[in-house]
Amino acid sequence: MRGKLKRDEDVFVGDFVEYDKLNKVVISVYPRANRLIRPYVANVDILLIVVAPKPQPDWVLVEKLLLNCHSQRILPVLVVNKCDLLDENELENMIAPYRREVKTFSVSAKKGIGLDELRSFTSGKTVCLSGQSAVGKTSLINALGGYRLETGELSRKIDRGKNTTRQVEIFFIGDGKIVDTCGFSIVDGIDIKPQELIYYYDEFLAVQDKCRYSNCTHTNEPGCEVKRLVNDKRISESRYARYVKLYKELTERSKRRYD
Ligand code: GDP
Ligand code: ZN
């Protein structure tokens, strides 16, 4: 690094830089399209949010990742892995609530199902992988890119996990690249205010002028139109529940911040 530039502070994995080949120094960093934190990755085009029938999906985590993508202008993609463990109905039930909001793929890293579609969709892009542990992120890197990384809970991950919360590896998949962030936790990186949360819920926005109070947060106010539609099953109950949970978390956090 030249001059005041600091590794991990000013220059991140995924950055495009001006490089002095002769002297082997990074001279400057070009402006970033976006940046994820914990660990830092810059210029991400697509975030693959991987879920699977096993372990049971954490939909609140999925919702957080989606919000993060929106606020960072990253294209989110929901990947249901281990589709070999699901029949058509079960798969449909899993995807249905998200279909309008996010592009979805169902794949099996193990059985090689749906991989061509995913590979061509991500071709030429910088892709980041996220999702709970054991959903099959490593298996996907192997299957998509012909790698032979060790899967399962064992040694590689323990090794990598030890002091490597910020370790980031780039794998090349065709003419695209996948960034594997090991213990990925961008969840804490959502940088929105509680009152901004509503802007990520189009179906709530569309009806909120019918709420009794103009400053209704749709969490516990009487005369709330959003809640009425949830009761009538015209707004997804589980999506509403995740909204409320996130709203509370964000409120808690903003309180702590100003204590
Ligand atoms: P990671 O923690 O998200 O990187 O998950 P891994 O890639 O290590 O996979 C966790 C476990 O799920 C391993 O035992 C894999 O063999 C298994 N697995 C991965 N993909 C599939 C799949 O498509 N179908 C099935 N049935 N199992 C899978
Ligand atoms: Zn309301």
Side-chain angles (χ1 to χ4, degrees):
M1 307 289 166
R2 164 161 304 171
K4 284 184 295 199
L5 282 184
K6 284 206 194 74
R7 210 192 123 124
D8 293 342
E9 231 168 87
D10 302 311
V11 190
F12 305 133
V13 170
D15 267 329
F16 294 100
V17 299
E18 190 183 349
Y19 184 61
D20 176 349
K21 249 188 178 163
L22 204 64
N23 298 304
K24 299 196 169 146
V25 289
V26 173
I27 297 165
S28 67
V29 182
Y30 291 114
R32 309 185 171 100
N34 52 47
R35 192 185 73 178
L36 296 173
I37 62 172
R38 288 175 197 237
Y40 290 112
V41 185
N43 299 313
V44 177
D45 296 313
I46 296 176
L47 181 71
L48 299 183
I49 302 173
V50 186
V51 294
K54 258 199 272 177
Q56 217 181 43
D58 178 348
W59 294 112
V60 174
L61 173 66
V62 171
E63 203 90 351
K64 286 177 177 172
L65 293 167
L66 285 172
L67 288 177
N68 231 321
C69 287
H70 287 302
S71 72
Q72 291 285 321
R73 294 174 211 291
I74 296 168
L75 181 69
V77 169
L78 185 67
V79 177
V80 180
N81 185 35
K82 311 195 190 181
C83 73
D84 53 294
L85 303 178
L86 292 169
D87 67 29
E88 232 160 79
N89 258 332
E90 292 167 322
L91 184 64
E92 178 55 30
N93 286 340
M94 236 170 136
I95 295 178
Y98 289 96
R99 181 160 283 140
R100 266 187 37 209
E101 199 186 339
V102 55
K103 174 128 186 103
T104 57
F105 289 90
S106 61
V107 303
S108 168
K110 206 173 208 169
K111 299 268 155 80
I113 304 167
L115 298 174
D116 288 342
E117 288 90 334
L118 186 56
R119 204 182 285 114
S120 67
F121 186 80
T122 56
S123 155
K125 300 284 199 289
T126 297
V127 179
C128 221
L129 271 173
S130 62
Q132 293 152 269
S133 125
V135 290
K137 296 182 294 297
T138 314
S139 306
L140 276 171
I141 294 175
N142 287 345
L144 289 168
Y147 287 92
R148 287 160 173 270
L149 306 169
E150 201 173 320
T151 61
E153 316 300 305
L154 297 173
S155 48
R156 182 183 79 96
K157 292 185 180 175
I158 294 167
D159 274 354
R160 295 177 69 208
K162 261 180 203 153
N163 43 27
T164 53
T165 39
R166 44 201 329 186
Q167 177 172 340
V168 181
E169 279 181 59
I170 294 185
F171 299 99
F172 293 89
I173 312 273
D175 59 351
K177 42 190 190 283
I178 285 203
V179 182
D180 176 26
T181 54
C182 204
F184 207 137
S185 146
I186 63 177
V187 172
D188 298 330
I190 309 182
D191 195 16
I192 59 175
K193 301 188 181 75
Q195 61 270 29
E196 289 170 346
L197 186 62
I198 186 75
Y199 295 109
Y200 300 99
Y201 293 79
D202 287 346
E203 72 271 42
F204 300 5
L205 269 181
V207 300
Q208 69 169 356
D209 57 333
K210 297 205 188 98
C211 293
R212 185 178 306 162
Y213 301 109
S214 62
N215 60 351
C216 186
T217 65
H218 322 303
T219 51
N220 47 25
E221 295 88 344
C224 172
E225 178 71 3
V226 173
K227 272 201 299 197
R228 194 180 70 77
L229 293 175
V230 173
N231 287 333
D232 285 359
K233 306 228 179 305
R234 285 160 60 198
I235 283 180
S236 158
E237 198 174 345
S238 54
R239 191 160 140 83
Y240 175 71
R242 291 192 294 275
Y243 166 84
V244 173
K245 185 157 195 257
L246 283 175
Y247 187 87
K248 290 189 173 147
E249 272 185 36
L250 292 172
T251 318
E252 273 303 303
R253 198 179 61 179
S254 73
K255 265 194 227 142
R256 259 182 280 138
R257 196 173 281 174
Y258 299 111
D259 271 351

